[in-house]
Structures are given as C-alpha cells and as structure tokens.
Amino acid sequence: MKSARNPNIPLAGPIVLEKAEFFAAHSGYKDFKASSWWLEKFKNRNGIIYRTLNGESASISEEDCKKFLTDILPSLLEVYAIEDIFNADETGLFSNVYQIKLTFKGDTCHGGEKSKDRVTVMACANTRVD
C-alpha cells in the first residue's frame, strides 16, 4: 500500500484484494481468499480509509507516467485483443443547474440554491477502429 500510494497511485478495494491473494499464494497460503470482510479488517488494522481522490495537486509525476507507458503497459496489453481493451469514466449530468429568473435591477434575489437533480453517466469505448 505504501509503495503504491507514495507516488500518488490511486488504489481501490478490488486491487488490494487481488494483491492480497497474490502475496498469500506466493507466501504458501494456497487456500487464502481475500473477501470484503478481510479488507475491512485489513483497513482497520492499518489505519486505511476510503477517501475520494481528485484534483491535480498530487498528480503522478511525468517520469512515472512515461515509465508506466513504456515498461509496464505493453506487457499488460499483450494478452488482450485490441477490441477487448476498453476505457470507461463516469460523470454527473446535472439538469436545472441554475434556475434563472428574470427580475428588475436592484431587486434582491432569493432561492438561488443550485439544483441537485443529477444522473450519473458512464461513457465507455474500446480501441477498435473500423
């Protein structure tokens, strides 16, 4: 966890579970199964919390990005057909974000709260080119 988080690489629960099983198997624990219960106990023992990571204040260095693209990514991709490689991201689609009302100059405005109506949209595409 520390070696991945030090260069600001984001980690999600499924990645930690997968790595836990990998390290257990390589340490001789063949019957170990990392579960959500195991993950909760692991987080509690090690002072790990879930937190949304956003913004670029702690972005990954350019050198780390280049290393990933040249040294790591090609070996990860070689086992997949080009049409089986996807990228997906989610975003919020807001409706009625601002409820604009006409009024006269000098009038005070009330009820200017932003609408909270939103739909989460996931866009996904593969690398296939036709």
Side-chain angles (χ1 to χ4, degrees):
M1 291 276 306
K2 288 180 182 177
S3 65
R5 286 299 303 138
N6 283 341
N8 296 314
I9 297 171
L11 292 176
I15 295 171
V16 175
L17 293 174
E18 183 179 331
K19 285 298 184 182
E21 290 181 1
F22 171 83
F23 289 125
H26 283 78
S27 298
Y29 297 99
K30 303 294 183 196
D31 296 330
F32 175 77
K33 176 68 178 142
S35 64
S36 57
W37 177 83
W38 177 88
L39 180 59
E40 286 302 314
K41 296 293 184 184
F42 177 79
K43 288 175 10 190
N44 289 338
R45 278 192 311 271
N46 293 285
I48 299 167
I49 60 169
Y50 279 116
R51 182 173 288 162
T52 302
L53 302 175
N54 53 26
E56 296 184 19
S57 63
S59 61
I60 299 172
S61 73
E62 187 72 27
E63 180 182 318
D64 289 336
C65 289
K66 286 179 183 176
K67 181 179 179 183
F68 177 79
L69 290 173
T70 58
D71 300 345
I72 299 170
L73 185 61
S75 63
L76 294 174
L77 297 178
E78 68 186 15
V79 298
Y80 297 101
I82 194 78
E83 61 269 9
D84 292 334
I85 300 171
F86 289 82
N87 185 34
D89 201 357
E90 67 179 48
T91 186
L93 177 64
F94 291 88
S95 62
N96 301 323
V97 173
Y98 295 101
Q99 298 174 352
I100 300 173
K101 306 285 186 199
L102 294 175
T103 187
F104 292 101
K105 188 186 247 183
D107 284 353
T108 57
C109 295
H110 300 285
E113 185 175 320
K114 295 179 184 176
S115 173
K116 294 178 179 71
D117 297 337
R118 97 178 208 163
V119 175
T120 300
V121 176
M122 178 173 274
C124 182
N126 69 353
T127 56
R128 183 176 180 166
V129 178
D130 287 331

